[in-house]
Amino acid sequence: MLMNTVHEDRPWGSFDMFTHNEQSTVKLIYVNKDGFLSLQYHQNREEFWRVVVGNPEITIGENKIIANPGQDFIVPKGINHRIGAPNNDVIILE
């Protein structure tokens, strides 16, 4: 579910641009094995998540899956969501 992302290949490799001249926050979230963020929602913003390391349990609304590195998720405004690490340490780009 990747949204508004630009991918460019260059002689040295490639990059994915997530924002360009937009107001945004980009962070890496580190979740220790057996850790879970609280179930939450945001009325005024959506979130983008990319799994960088590990196999997180991703909950978005009623959907719950074990994800793999490289998978992307969009969390719409007002939808319950959570990240957990039941199997291993996890890193998420948000």
Side-chain angles (χ1 to χ4, degrees), residues 15-92:
F15 69 87
D16 291 318
M17 182 172 29
F18 300 104
T19 62
H20 181 70
N21 294 331
E22 296 177 33
Q23 187 176 14
S24 63
T25 300
V26 178
K27 60 185 171 183
L28 290 172
I29 300 172
Y30 300 87
V31 185
N32 297 326
K33 183 181 182 304
D34 296 324
F36 284 81
L37 281 69
S38 61
L39 187 64
Q40 54 189 287
Y41 71 95
H42 309 289
Q43 290 291 14
N44 298 315
R45 66 178 165 95
E46 67 181 18
E47 292 185 354
F48 166 83
W49 295 341
R50 172 172 282 177
V51 179
V52 179
V53 172
N55 302 99
E57 181 180 282
I58 300 291
T59 302
I60 301 175
E62 298 297 318
N63 298 316
K64 186 182 292 188
I65 69 161
I66 299 296
N68 295 305
Q71 283 187 277
D72 299 328
F73 300 89
I74 296 294
V75 181
K77 294 177 188 176
I79 299 296
N80 288 334
H81 58 279
R82 144 186 248 180
I83 300 168
N87 301 311
N88 46 32
D89 290 346
V90 166
I91 301 174
I92 301 287

